[in-house]
């Protein structure tokens, strides 16, 4: 396993938080007839707790439909949670009026997955970067031009490219523009929602390295949303694994990748294409259950090779953080983690 490039968030005090998500739940009522009869409840997110220190990158991973983007939208203030709260840079986000989103934009921004769909094809790059500055009260022409030129240089583009349109750029360049737009207001937290999944494999590493460089240069904190643990392993200080709206494992990146204690985490790691990863980990079959009709007991039990009667009967233990900061929601977590550690140690001697 390679050493990720950046771990600048390690060693900071626990009270140095940029973000705290507490018991976050987002439920959507669906269907139903007159007076709501027959209505079903989609529990997109169901009791999520997350903490992010300043300067850290938190990897939020899981399959499509696990609730990752719903958590992101709640942090951005674009979704009203059913319960729980989000505290961002000391300010409570939840419960604010919808018109207060503007004040959050200076603290948190997002880099979208698709650089083709996220840029206005009728706007030049200059207009794309200037508009947020004007909306937030920057009116001096010289300051606007200087900030646009500086940001383009930060993301590896030339200031003279500012008068071009999105179709004149490659996919990787468009994502650089998307990153520049997210950073133009100098936010403290950036949510990266699958920022390289729509790009060619040949340029993914360039964008990942750019994000890491900007994190150090500008003192940013990241949430890296991805289903690709290879990307998360390279960038993250801590990793939270989501399954069907809940966090099933959370901890330091090394603990997660070397001693995964939840069978779902093991299955995700086993899917990373790495010829040097000799240790056999648990694999899984089947699809994620329908969130409108979740299984009894642990939601992962129908796909889990370790499942026993208690797993199919009980929803799983409370996600509790141990002294080492590792938290797991699994009845057999200690046994599974021990097997993973043994397999990892054996692989080191091959």
């Amino acid at each position: 396993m390679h050493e990720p490039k950046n771990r600048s968030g390690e060693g900071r005090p626990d009270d140095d938080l940029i973000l705290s998500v507490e018991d976050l739940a987002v439920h959507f009522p669906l269907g139903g007839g007159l007076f709501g009869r027959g209505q079903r409840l989609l529990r997109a997110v169901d009791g999520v707790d997350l903490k992010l220190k300043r300067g850290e990158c938190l990897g939020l991973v899981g399959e499509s439909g696990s609730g990752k983007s719903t958590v992101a939208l709640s942090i951005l203030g674009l979704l009203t949670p059913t319960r729980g709260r989000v505290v961002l840079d000391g300010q409570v986000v939840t419960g604010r009026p919808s018109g207060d989103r503007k004040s959050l934009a200076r603290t948190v921004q997002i880099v979208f997955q698709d650089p083709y769909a996220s840029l206005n094809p009728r706007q030049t790059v200059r207009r794309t970067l200037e508009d947020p500055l004007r909306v937030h009260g920057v009116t001096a022409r010289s300051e606007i031009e200087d900030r646009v030129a500086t940001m383009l240089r930060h993301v590896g583009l030339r200031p003279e490219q500012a008068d071009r349109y999105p179709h004149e750029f490659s996919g990787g360049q468009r994502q650089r523009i998307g990153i520049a737009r997210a950073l133009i207001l100098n936010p403290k937290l950036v949510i990266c929602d699958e920022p390289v999944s729509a790009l060619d494999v040949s340029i993914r590493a360039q964008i990942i390295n750019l994000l890491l460089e900007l994190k150090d240069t500008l003192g940013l904190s990241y949430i890296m949303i991805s289903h690709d643990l290879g990307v998360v392993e390279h960038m993250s200080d801590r990793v939270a694994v989501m399954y069907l709206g809940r966090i099933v494992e959370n901890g330091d990146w090394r603990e997660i990748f070397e001693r995964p204690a939840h069978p779902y985490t093991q299955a995700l790691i086993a899917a990373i294409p790495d010829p040097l990863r000799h240790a056999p980990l648990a694999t899984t079959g089947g699809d994620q259950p329908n969130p409108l009709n979740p299984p009894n007991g642990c939601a992962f039990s129908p796909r889990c090779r370790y499942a026993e009667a208690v797993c199919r009967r009980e929803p799983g233990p409370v996600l509790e953080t141990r002294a080492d900061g590792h938290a797991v929601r699994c009845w057999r977590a200690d046994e599974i983690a021990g097997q993973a550690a043994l397999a990892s140690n054996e692989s080191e001697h091959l």
Side-chain angles (χ1 to χ4, degrees):
M1 185 180 299
H2 66 274
E3 181 74 18
K5 292 176 68 66
N6 187 288
R7 290 295 181 266
S8 60
E10 292 178 353
R12 293 180 179 269
D14 290 342
D15 59 353
D16 191 17
L17 294 178
I18 184 67
L19 175 70
S20 177
V21 177
E22 304 165 6
D23 192 31
L24 183 71
V26 182
H27 300 165
F28 299 103
L30 300 176
L34 189 64
F35 306 117
R37 292 174 181 172
Q39 190 176 74
R40 295 187 296 173
L41 197 63
L42 173 63
R43 300 176 185 271
V45 175
D46 199 19
V48 164
D49 294 291
L50 292 172
K51 294 187 184 299
L52 178 63
K53 296 179 182 179
R54 300 180 192 276
E56 275 190 336
C57 177
L58 171 68
L60 187 59
V61 303
E63 294 168 289
S64 296
S66 61
K68 307 184 300 296
S69 294
T70 303
V71 171
L73 293 174
S74 300
I75 294 170
L76 289 162
L78 299 177
L79 271 181
T80 301
T82 305
R83 71 169 188 270
R85 71 172 190 162
V86 176
V87 181
L88 181 61
D89 196 28
Q91 301 295 316
V92 178
V93 173
T94 43
R96 288 190 176 197
S98 58
D100 205 22
R101 170 71 186 96
K102 179 180 173 182
S103 65
L104 292 176
R106 287 186 176 273
T107 304
V108 58
Q109 285 287 332
I110 185 169
V111 176
F112 294 99
Q113 174 180 2
D114 189 349
Y116 296 92
S118 62
L119 298 174
N120 187 336
R122 298 184 179 182
Q123 283 189 350
T124 63
V125 172
R126 184 183 305 280
R127 177 72 182 276
T128 296
L129 300 183
E130 286 182 350
D131 280 355
L133 294 173
R134 290 197 176 95
V135 167
H136 287 266
V138 181
T139 57
R141 186 66 203 173
S142 59
E143 181 180 357
I144 291 175
E145 290 179 352
D146 180 66
R147 289 178 66 170
V148 169
T150 298
M151 189 51 63
L152 287 174
R153 292 190 188 98
H154 273 315
V155 299
L157 298 173
R158 301 189 308 274
E160 54 266 31
Q161 294 176 293
D163 293 313
R164 297 182 184 179
Y165 289 86
H167 72 270
E168 299 179 76
F169 295 89
S170 67
Q173 288 174 321
R174 290 189 197 189
Q175 193 60 297
R176 290 173 187 268
I177 296 167
I179 293 169
R181 178 180 57 186
L183 299 181
I184 197 68
L185 292 176
N186 298 322
K188 299 177 181 179
L189 171 63
V190 178
I191 299 174
C192 302
D193 191 356
E194 303 274 8
V196 298
S197 63
L199 303 177
D200 292 341
V201 174
S202 60
I203 59 175
R204 290 182 183 182
Q206 297 176 24
I207 299 301
I208 291 171
N209 289 335
L210 172 63
L211 289 168
L212 288 172
E213 291 167 7
L214 291 170
K215 176 174 174 288
D216 285 345
T217 302
L218 303 178
L220 300 170
S221 304
Y222 285 155
I223 294 179
M224 175 60 64
I225 296 176
S226 182
H227 65 273
D228 184 346
L229 262 73
V231 173
V232 170
E233 180 184 13
H234 190 72
M235 289 194 64
S236 300
D237 300 295
R238 295 183 60 80
V239 179
V241 182
M242 286 195 72
Y243 187 79
L244 215 65
R246 291 185 171 186
I247 302 292
V248 297
E249 189 161 7
N250 190 348
D252 176 82
W253 74 273
R254 190 181 299 277
E255 282 289 323
I256 295 295
F257 282 94
E258 295 186 358
R259 287 174 288 277
H262 195 283
Y264 179 58
T265 308
Q266 290 192 354
L268 292 177
I269 293 173
I272 300 175
D274 186 350
L276 299 179
R277 194 184 303 277
H278 301 293
L281 293 175
T283 57
T284 185
D287 297 322
Q288 187 170 253
N290 184 346
L292 286 171
N293 186 29
N296 294 327
C298 171
F300 189 64
S301 62
R303 306 170 67 188
C304 180
R305 62 182 294 188
Y306 299 105
E308 297 180 334
V310 65
C311 306
R312 299 181 179 90
R313 183 178 66 250
E314 303 292 338
V318 175
L319 186 72
E320 293 185 355
T321 304
R322 305 170 183 173
D324 61 1
H326 197 163
V328 189
R329 187 191 300 272
C330 178
W331 292 112
R332 302 182 63 188
D334 291 337
E335 176 188 348
I336 294 170
Q339 292 179 9
L342 179 61
S344 178
N345 290 335
E346 291 176 349
S347 70
E348 292 177 359
H349 295 86
L350 292 179

